[in-house]
Amino acid sequence: MPVSFEPRTRLAHLEEYVTKIHLKLPPDEAWVQLLRCRVVAYSLIAEISESAYSKRYVDQFFVQAYRNLSESCGQDLRDPFSDPCVSQYQILDELRSYGSRELSEPFLRFIRAEFKKAFVPTLRLLTDLCHSENKYSWEEMKLQLMEIMDQLHVDVTWAECEEKLEKYMKKIEGTIYMN
């Protein structure tokens, strides 16, 4: 099958991939890939810009992906977007734990490479979607992320992360917060 850059086709392929991710990757890697894939999926629905393709549409197939992954690894891995307020803290705790755990170098390289593409936009979205007064503000979140980036020796600067994030948020703002 030829590669397509058409957003509907890419979204369909992404949906198929994430619902079978538990068959392809170890749980830790699958969890990070699911964060990254959701960021991509939201971007694709922004490109499609039709009511049939909404945040709700994307969220439904990610709920199934997390359910499949949970069943396959025997852990309760909830979709972070089902409770963005709690997930802010959980993702930060997970990222902090990488600095003190014995992780393989390939996995750490993977985490570092995905930082600006998966973790920064995910935590920005979760911050925006959390309506609790007991949440981190985006400014507080940035400080936490910069500290973690330093701890994990992430090769990108915060300025690079913010530049990519700004473009991403501008692209999705009309779809994510309206649906």
Side-chain angles (χ1 to χ4, degrees), residues 59-168:
D59 291 347
Q60 286 174 342
F61 69 81
F62 275 90
V63 166
Q64 184 61 48
Y66 281 98
R67 189 176 303 128
N68 294 346
L69 183 59
S70 292
E71 289 172 8
S72 99
C73 72
Q75 299 176 32
D76 184 19
L77 301 171
R78 294 184 194 251
D79 178 0
F81 284 77
S82 66
D83 190 345
C85 300
V86 169
S87 297
Q88 272 189 319
Y89 295 98
Q90 289 174 337
I91 292 173
L92 284 174
D93 287 346
E94 181 70 16
L95 288 171
R96 277 191 200 97
S97 79
Y98 293 153
S100 60
R101 290 172 29 199
E102 290 293 320
L103 300 171
S104 71
E105 188 55 36
F107 183 71
L108 276 173
R109 276 195 312 268
F110 171 64
I111 294 300
R112 290 176 190 128
E114 291 300 313
F115 213 87
K116 83 175 175 184
K117 297 182 280 183
F119 297 113
V120 172
T122 296
L123 285 164
R124 173 59 192 265
L125 289 169
L126 293 173
T127 300
D128 289 355
L129 295 170
C130 175
H131 300 295
S132 169
E133 292 183 21
N134 297 328
K135 73 173 187 174
Y136 284 119
S137 68
W138 180 240
E139 290 304 312
E140 293 167 320
M141 183 65 69
K142 285 194 308 192
L143 294 174
Q144 300 280 331
L145 289 169
M146 286 188 277
E147 192 175 292
I148 293 167
M149 287 170 68
D150 187 50
Q151 177 188 12
L152 297 178
H153 309 290
V154 175
D155 292 336
V156 297
T157 66
W158 184 254
E160 291 170 300
C161 291
E162 255 185 347
E163 182 182 331
K164 184 165 181 70
L165 179 63
E166 187 178 316
K167 290 176 187 174
Y168 177 73

Side-chain angles (χ1 to χ4, degrees), residues 11 41-49 53-55 58 175-176:
L11 186 60
Y42 287 160
S43 179
L44 291 171
I45 62 169
E47 287 180 45
I48 296 170
S49 187
Y53 297 97
S54 64
K55 178 182 179 298
V58 168
T175 57
I176 300 306

